[in-house]
Each structure stands twice: as C-alpha cells, then as structure tokens.
Amino acid sequence: MDDQTALTFADVLTAGEIVAGEVAATPLVDHPLLDRVVGTEVLVKHEHVLPTGSFKVRGGVHLAARLTDAERASGLVTCSTGNHAQSVAYAARLAGCHATVVMPSCAPQVKRDAVVALGATVVSHGESLGEAAAHARVLATGPATPSYVDTTDPRIVLGHATAYLELFRQAPDLVAVYVPIGSGTGAVGACLARDALAPGCRVIGVQSSAAPAAWRSWRSGRIESVASATRASGLATSSGYPATLPYLRAGLDDFVLVSDDAIDRAARLLASHAGTLAEGAGAAALAGLLAADSPTGRVAVMCTGGNASADEIARLAAA
C-alpha cells in the first residue's frame, strides 16, 4: 500500500457492497452486566459469528471478488496462524481455485483443521509466523506456482474495513473503539471508516505485551522485530508491517499493550457477562478497555474472533 495504491473511504464503500452480498452484518450489542464491570456503556461488535468465526472472512470475500484471471488459474498461497488462513481458504472456495496455507508450529490445531475443512492444503513450516511467511513466498516463486497473498494485501485490508463501516453506521456517536492488532489490517480499516463517519471517535489499538513488535514499530516509526511469545495466536506477529504502519501512525489515537493474563481475564468476562466465547485476539480489545483509566462515554470493543483453542477454553475456567 504505497502512494500509488493508497486506500480511500470510497474504496471501503465499494468493498462494503461486495461483502454485504455474501455475509450478513454482525450484531453490535450492549451487555448491561459488562457495563457494570467496566463502568461505562460498552458495545460489543460480535464479528465472531461470521463464517470462519472471524472478521477476517470479510477480507476473503472481497479478495475472491477481486482476483485476477491469473490468480484464479494458479491458485493462492499464504501464511497465517489461523484466521487469515481460513479467510484465504474461503476466498479460494468462492473463486473456484485452490489455496495452500503455510502455518507455523504455534498455530492451534483447531485452526489447521478448519483450513483443511474449507478445502485448502496446510503446510507446516517454522516456529514463527515470519518463518512461515518466508516459506510461503518460496512456494510462490517460479513458473506454474500459486500466487502469494500477503496478509496486508489491499484487497484484504478493504474487506476488513467493512466491519468498521458497519460499526460506525450502527453507532456514529462512539467516543472510542478498541481494536486488536496483529498485522494491523483491521485497525487500518477502523481509521479509514472513522475518519469519514465518526471523526470524533478515538481508535485505540491493543496488542499483547508478549508480542510487541507492531507496538514498538508504531512508537518508533520504523519496522521493528521482536520475538513473539504470546498465547494469543491471532496476535502472534514478530515484526511490524511496512504496508500498515503508515496508516497506524497517522490514524491511531493510542496503542496499548496488555498481558496475556489480562487477555484471559477479558475472555472470561466476555463468556460470563456477554455470553460470548472469544479467542485471545477476540478478547484483547476488552482487555485494552479494562486497562484504561476510568473510561467514560459510549465505547465499542471488537470481538474479532471466536476460534478458541482447547487451551484457551480450559483457561476460561481458571480462577
């Protein structure tokens, strides 16, 4: 996403029409029990109810509609710890082509199984997302190889932005929205939609302190790499992303780090006070809000995914 391919709100509106033709708008719900704990009105955007259990399917739907003939013919290859993997597999199924997904060893088995169920091939490689990404690019090198789909492909980002197009149409009076950040595609979409529809709303990014590469990159203004040790697979990035960093630097009002334990506590609150099973990345936004100083006004948190692993579900019962 350089100056020649800068994303605009007009692009988001077009993507919104495409995505709305395939998936229904997700609920934005106030849960009074949750309000009492947080101390202000909290609206939860329930993206986990979408096909594949994550907001990232929006990117897959938009990608499928925008594939070139060459990409359809060659098939697709990408890398992911899970939800992006499912979105590309979903895109390939919609487009009638094949997808190969390289997944690192840290990717939960439930997400591997879901990718296979969508008809894609899973290749296990490396211990980190960076190692998986490098191998995926190798698989896309040379003649008669699949086309590489980057996590930050503009078609993916615009699909993700449709979640926030919906959000600000549903609640234009928000004072803040908390957004989990891995590669930052969802947060870029939040900023694009906010600037056009709710310019008074603060967009606050949330990342695990055990995977702070994107946070460090945002603070310094340059791409930084840091080993990821987070339990939240959807946040397990070990480097900042050149394509999203300029948008995040320009658009985010704040970017906070929370511990994995805080994310687990937020997941328990969503389960007990909002009837919602969220994976780690899906609970991170609430963890960010809970870490804020005396929040006031109407705020939203994005429950971006519900593909909780067996370990995550077990930790819900922990004291």
Side-chain angles (χ1 to χ4, degrees):
M1 293 188 292
D2 54 29
D3 289 341
Q4 294 182 336
T5 58
L7 304 180
T8 68
F9 182 64
D11 297 325
V12 177
L13 290 174
T14 301
E17 294 176 359
I18 292 171
V19 172
E22 182 65 31
V23 298
T26 59
L28 182 67
V29 180
D30 175 39
H31 300 281
L33 279 175
L34 193 59
D35 294 349
R36 292 177 65 183
V37 172
V38 177
T40 194
E41 184 180 3
V42 183
L43 301 178
V44 180
K45 182 70 166 157
H46 289 279
E47 290 287 291
H48 67 290
V49 302
L50 287 169
T52 78
S54 166
F55 86 106
K56 289 196 172 180
V57 74
R58 296 173 178 273
V61 170
H62 189 242
L63 174 67
R66 297 299 193 185
L67 289 176
T68 65
D69 290 342
E71 287 172 322
R72 292 174 188 269
S74 68
L76 310 174
V77 62
T78 194
C79 64
S80 173
T81 54
N83 288 337
H84 170 68
Q86 291 183 67
S87 76
V88 173
Y90 194 92
R93 190 171 72 168
L94 282 179
C97 63
H98 184 69
T100 298
V101 181
V102 183
M103 305 183 77
S105 59
C106 62
Q109 188 62 46
V110 65
K111 294 186 178 181
R112 296 172 186 269
D113 294 342
V115 173
V116 172
L118 286 166
T121 298
V122 171
V123 174
S124 297
H125 185 89
E127 297 182 359
S128 70
L129 187 58
E131 292 172 343
H135 187 64
R137 290 184 183 277
V138 169
L139 296 181
T141 302
T145 57
S147 299
Y148 182 72
V149 178
D150 192 83
T151 306
T152 57
D153 185 300
R155 298 167 293 184
I156 296 286
V157 177
L158 289 170
H160 294 172
T162 65
Y164 299 91
L165 181 64
E166 286 182 14
L167 171 69
F168 291 120
R169 284 173 169 172
Q170 291 167 319
D173 59 340
L174 294 171
V175 298
V177 56
Y178 287 76
V179 183
I181 292 182
S183 64
T185 56
V188 170
C191 294
L192 288 170
R194 181 275 313 276
D195 290 349
L197 298 178
C201 179
R202 302 178 74 228
V203 177
I204 300 166
V206 184
Q207 173 61 289
S208 168
S209 58
W215 177 81
R216 289 193 183 185
S217 299
W218 179 78
R219 285 175 61 88
S220 70
R222 62 181 183 272
I223 299 302
E224 299 200 24
S225 297
V226 186
S228 168
T230 181
R231 297 190 296 262
S233 62
L235 304 178
T237 54
S238 54
S239 177
Y241 286 73
T244 56
L245 181 58
Y247 289 88
L248 300 180
R249 292 268 295 173
L252 287 182
D253 294 278
D254 200 1
F255 193 166
V256 299
L257 293 178
V258 293
S259 69
D260 279 5
D261 287 345
I263 291 173
D264 283 349
R265 287 193 292 272
R268 289 186 205 107
L269 270 178
L270 285 170
S272 62
H273 289 57
T276 299
L277 176 62
E279 61 183 280
L286 178 59
L289 172 59
L290 292 169
D293 293 330
S294 304
T296 58
R298 202 176 193 214
V299 301
V301 296
M302 302 299 289
C303 182
T304 52
N307 294 314
S309 67
D311 287 343
E312 286 175 317
I313 293 172
R315 289 199 302 272
L316 288 177

